[in-house]
Amino acid sequence: MSAASAPAQTPVIGWDLGGVHVKAALVCGGRVETVVQAPCRLWRGLPALDETFAQLPDWARAPADHVVTMTGELTDCFSDRADGVAQLAGWAAAHLKGSVRIYGGRAGLLAPEYARTAAADIASANWHATAALVGRHHAHALLVDIGSTTADLIPVVGGTPAASGYSDAERLETGELVYTGVVRSHLIALCDHAPFRGRRTRLMAETFATMADVYRITGDLPDDADQQQSADGKGKSLAESEIRLARIIGRDHGEGDPADWRALAAHFAEAQLRPLHDAAALLLSRSDLPADAPLVICGAGRFVAERLATRLGRPAVALTDLIADRLPATGADWASTCGPAVAVALLVR
């Protein structure tokens, strides 16, 4: 059969089913055509996933070779992670048209009906997919994927993921999972005091503001990165973010000026960077990671990862630069934000 008459390859769609976002990447002929992220209130139950799915672009509901990774199994609507893995895999099998495989990390690709028995391999294995993709381009690196809620720091050694931990619990112990992100993290989780106009003030132990407010004030937050409701349910203007930030130190907005609020926001940005620096420094001290191993960065918080690389004296390489020849002319930022969805789709071809 001639090349001109050869049938088109079946599109591949990579999925990352999370507890607050659904991410999907369409790959045709080995190239990423488009990527989408949509908010999902999965903590309300699987019907929330149906609502999000109905709002996705038409291509997400078309027949394809679907490859699914997930983090939503830890959402509190499920009795435990095994239940969450089984229900999410079952949802994918019932709703995605075409073939459906579940990414099991170290266990490979699995049929949805085997999800419950392989739950320990499947649960929150999206980091493994991104690290495996990095390993195809860099033999040795530290993947730093900083998202809206968490940060994954994964050593890549000899072209393969080389994390010391695997489950969330294990990676929390090893520093390969740092539970902080650039949108949803609460400020009180980062420190218990802050400087304000020459005085040290304790913080109110309330969820008055999030890191999305901080990075809006510093001007770092990428467009559309914050798809969640604000802490007070109000808008996301600069002034409204400053109001929320002021409350965390018991102040009203009028008690400071824009420079005060920028300085306070910078304090919280630094407080978030410190534990990331400590975790990365520990991982980079491993004997199997050479001194010139770069940080490969991605995620909605890639701007934080860039600062981390500078702080560590390491080169920063964007994940999207590694796969630039497989990305569309526009939309690379979304491919970075949705790295695991892109990775599972590219890994199968």
Side-chain angles (χ1 to χ4, degrees):
M1 182 179 293
S2 68
S5 60
Q9 284 187 336
T10 302
V12 178
I13 300 179
W15 294 87
D16 188 358
L17 303 181
V20 293
H21 296 109
V22 169
K23 303 172 183 179
L26 174 64
V27 171
C28 298
R31 290 184 55 84
V32 179
E33 296 291 328
T34 187
V35 183
V36 65
Q37 172 181 284
C40 180
R41 299 176 293 182
L42 186 56
W43 60 89
R44 296 188 175 185
L46 280 180
L49 195 51
D50 296 336
E51 294 171 8
T52 298
F53 188 59
Q55 297 168 13
L56 293 177
D58 290 343
W59 58 261
R61 292 181 296 276
D65 178 6
H66 298 276
V67 185
V68 180
T69 187
M70 63 183 72
T71 59
E73 77 286 339
L74 57 78
T75 308
D76 50 16
C77 67
F78 304 122
S79 60
D80 56 26
R81 281 177 169 78
D83 176 51
V85 166
Q87 289 204 46
L88 289 173
W91 180 91
H95 290 79
L96 304 180
K97 296 180 180 178
S99 63
V100 176
R101 291 174 289 174
I102 310 299
Y103 186 76
R106 59 193 176 188
L109 295 174
L110 305 166
E113 58 265 30
Y114 298 116
R116 182 178 291 275
T117 57
D121 298 311
I122 295 168
S124 295
N126 62 348
W127 60 269
H128 189 282
T130 314
L133 181 62
V134 170
R136 290 188 173 183
H137 300 270
H138 268 286
H140 298 87
L142 180 68
L143 167 66
V144 180
D145 182 350
I146 302 177
S148 64
T149 309
T150 62
D152 293 312
L153 291 83
I154 310 299
V156 175
V157 176
T160 61
S164 298
Y166 190 88
S167 68
D168 284 346
E170 291 168 349
R171 293 191 304 118
L172 284 169
E173 293 174 348
T174 61
E176 292 157 342
L177 171 60
V178 181
Y179 225 90
T180 194
V182 297
V183 175
R184 299 181 64 242
S185 292
H186 296 293
L187 309 190
I188 194 65
L190 297 172
C191 52
D192 61 5
H193 67 275
F196 187 75
R197 290 193 164 184
R199 301 285 296 274
R200 170 179 167 171
T201 177
R202 305 289 292 189
L203 304 185
M204 290 192 166
E206 300 282 355
T207 55
F208 285 135
T210 66
M211 288 305 293
D213 294 310
V214 165
Y215 290 123
R216 266 191 291 272
I217 294 169
T218 63
D220 291 311
L221 195 68
D223 292 341
D224 301 323
D226 181 9
Q227 298 182 327
Q228 306 303 314
Q229 188 178 57
S230 65
D232 60 4
K234 296 181 181 179
K236 298 176 181 177
S237 68
L238 179 60
E240 287 165 314
S241 289
E242 291 173 345
I243 289 169
R244 287 188 287 270
L245 187 66
R247 290 194 183 114
I248 203 74
I249 58 167
R251 301 276 181 171
D252 289 326
H253 188 224
E255 295 181 72
D257 59 28
D260 292 322
W261 306 128
R262 284 195 298 273
L264 185 58
H267 169 79
F268 288 109
E270 168 64 20
Q272 184 174 63
L273 189 56
R274 288 173 185 167
L276 292 167
H277 175 271
D278 290 346
L282 176 63
L283 295 169
L284 289 170
S285 72
R286 289 174 40 156
S287 60
D288 54 358
L289 276 177
D292 60 351
L295 270 61
V296 176
I297 63 174
C298 64
R302 52 197 170 271
F303 61 93
V304 176
E306 289 174 355
R307 291 172 189 164
L308 179 62
T310 299
R311 194 166 176 142
L312 292 163
R314 296 273 180 152
V317 179
L319 174 68
T320 49
D321 286 346
L322 298 184
I323 56 173
D325 60 340
R326 305 176 76 176
L327 293 177
T330 60
D333 286 349
W334 278 116
S336 178
T337 298
C338 303
V342 171
V344 292
L346 291 178
L347 286 172
V348 299
R349 290 285 171 87

